[in-house]
Amino acid sequence: MTNIAAPLRPRAPFPLHRHAALLALLALIVFNVVTTPRFLTLATLNINLTQTATIVIVGIGMTLVIATGGVDLSVGSLMAISGAIAPLLFLNPALAPSIGTPLAFVLPVLATGLLGAFNGLLVTRFAVQPIIATLVLFIAGRGIAQV
């Protein structure tokens, strides 16, 4: 029995489908350079980096969740909880700045990590559907953040 190999097709030098995200990013940058007068200033870069950092961090986590076929509705609520805990610690007059500042970085991450672990426990040990388990924390998390 002989195998007949299919003829090799020449590869495109720059396959567009493999670099679509990079091309879209470049198109957005060019569009903003043309339409926004002060887009290429340090002030704009500072604003873009500081105001979008939290969204980028959450987006990276959500990318991993979605790439593995999961669903997590609670990320916004968890972000709100950590955003409520951090200033309480950072601005607390009873805590010295040398204690309040590190706690403002560490405790919100630990709190949201524990809540995320709770979601994971519901999904893995109790076989609750991920969309339902994360919906619980989505609703409860908003209330926790408001309190």
Side-chain angles (χ1 to χ4, degrees):
M1 189 179 241
T2 59
N3 289 335
I4 300 175
L8 295 175
R9 292 188 337 200
R11 284 180 39 160
F14 189 77
L16 293 178
H17 67 280
R18 296 188 78 189
H19 304 287
L22 180 61
L23 291 173
L25 175 64
L26 290 173
L28 286 171
I29 290 172
V30 169
F31 174 78
N32 279 305
V33 166
V34 171
T35 60
T36 307
R38 292 185 251 341
F39 182 73
L40 293 177
T41 63
L42 287 177
T44 303
L45 177 65
N46 182 34
I47 289 170
N48 284 333
L49 291 178
T50 56
Q51 291 184 357
T52 61
T54 55
I55 296 167
V56 169
I57 291 168
V58 171
I60 290 170
M62 281 303 297
T63 300
L64 296 174
V65 169
I66 292 170
T68 59
V71 174
D72 190 353
L73 302 176
S74 65
V75 293
S77 295
L78 290 176
M79 192 167 103
I81 290 170
S82 66
I85 294 172
L88 289 176
L89 296 167
F90 185 73
L91 300 174
N92 190 339
L95 295 173
S98 61
I99 296 172
T101 302
L103 286 178
F105 281 97
V106 174
L107 288 183
V109 173
L110 287 176
T112 54
L114 287 173
L115 290 169
F118 174 72
N119 270 346
L121 182 72
L122 288 177
V123 172
T124 58
R125 296 287 183 231
F126 297 107
V128 176
Q129 290 293 320
I131 195 163
I132 302 301
T134 59
L135 183 63
V136 168
L137 191 55
F138 169 75
I139 294 168
R142 289 179 182 257
I144 292 168
Q146 285 180 343
V147 169

